[in-house]
Amino acid sequence: MRIRSTETLAPVLGPEPPANDEGTARGEVRAPVDEPSRISVLVEAAFDHDAPLARLARSLRTSAAVADGDMPIRSVALLGVDAPVKAAALAANLAVVYAQAGSPTLLVDAAAGKVTQADLFATAPSEGLTGALIASAPAMQFVRPTAVRHLSVLPAGRSLADTAASLDAAPFHRRIVPLLETFDIMIVSGSLHHHEVPAFCAAIDAAVLVVQRHVTQLQIIRQATERLRQLDTHLLGVIVAD
């Protein structure tokens, strides 16, 4: 497990680590942005390939690509621990860099935080994850396109804040994971509810913890790490935010 400190979300996060900028090295073609005004400035990767958040996101993408395991990682959860805004922004940027590589990407908002993915990408209204979990209609019906080509969002939904604590792995696996038949990669924006790893992580291949420096206790990180191990969810790393 690597501990990283970064100046992403400047000035929200703190000093940036060396990043593996393999995207630039291999001449990656970035997916264009159709309507830049629809995307929040927090989604740095959509505007500046060399922005701190873009570089960190590409480094995480590389970590997922080279992670040990029998199967490739196709779903990654960004879990905020006392850092919900920073985790949401990093999830958005990670989704963008996957889309920029030409991979059809789904960004799922399971955090129900103050900053939502619908806010960051100005998506059309949707019952989102809540609707997809409880409705009989196909989950794809609740997915919305974004101004970044190859990137779609499944918003949180209006009532997710009331149900996030009980978001279980079984309905997530049954209703949401099959969307990977349409998309190459799924990025899930989440958070620890009362410092508990959300149950849906049992249906996710890998996770990243985004913690707040001088706020998040080491014991909480250890407990979350152990819980992810029990769920057989690969921990890609811990991002320490200032």
Side-chain angles (χ1 to χ4, degrees):
M1 181 178 67
R2 287 170 287 181
I3 306 295
R4 299 181 181 179
S5 176
T6 178
E7 208 174 57
T8 59
L9 282 189
V12 180
L13 301 181
E16 179 191 2
N20 183 342
D21 204 9
E22 94 298 344
T24 300
R26 70 186 184 204
E28 179 177 291
V29 177
R30 292 193 295 155
V33 176
D34 294 328
E35 298 178 65
S37 62
R38 290 179 52 194
I39 302 176
S40 167
V41 294
L42 293 179
V43 190
E44 295 180 358
F47 306 103
D48 184 356
H49 194 65
D50 292 321
L53 261 180
R55 293 171 58 193
L56 175 59
R58 290 197 303 277
S59 181
L60 288 174
R61 186 184 63 187
T62 299
S63 296
V66 301
D68 294 334
D70 297 332
M71 300 293 289
I73 289 175
R74 296 191 61 202
S75 56
V76 181
L78 280 292
L79 302 175
V81 189
D82 306 312
V85 175
K86 300 156 193 179
L90 183 54
N93 281 269
L94 182 58
V96 166
V97 299
Y98 270 107
Q100 288 172 339
S103 298
T105 303
L106 178 63
L107 174 58
V108 178
D109 193 346
K114 292 182 179 179
V115 174
T116 69
Q117 299 302 330
D119 294 331
L120 295 180
F121 291 95
T123 56
S126 169
E127 289 299 322
L129 179 58
T130 303
L133 288 171
I134 65 176
S136 58
M140 192 67 190
Q141 175 178 310
F142 303 92
V143 173
R144 297 292 180 264
T146 73
V148 178
R149 296 184 191 176
H150 310 304
L151 175 60
S152 299
V153 169
L154 179 59
R158 288 195 295 258
S159 60
L160 182 59
D162 299 326
T163 61
S166 59
L167 186 59
D168 201 2
F172 194 95
H173 189 276
R174 183 178 66 253
R175 294 284 294 162
I176 308 305
V177 172
L179 289 170
L180 285 171
E181 296 175 6
T182 301
F183 298 94
D184 288 349
I185 185 75
M186 178 186 297
I187 306 300
V188 182
S189 177
S191 62
L192 268 62
H193 187 78
H194 298 306
H195 291 152
E196 294 290 334
V197 170
F200 69 77
C201 284
I204 299 296
D205 296 333
V208 176
L209 298 176
V210 183
V211 306
Q212 185 68 51
R213 188 187 301 276
H214 304 313
V215 175
T216 305
Q217 299 178 6
L218 183 59
Q219 181 61 24
I220 300 300
I221 300 174
R222 289 172 174 164
Q223 290 173 354
T225 300
E226 174 59 19
R227 181 55 178 156
L228 289 168
R229 187 194 65 79
Q230 294 171 355
L231 295 175
D232 199 25
T233 303
H234 184 85
L235 180 62
L236 292 178
V238 179
I239 306 298
V240 182
D242 289 329

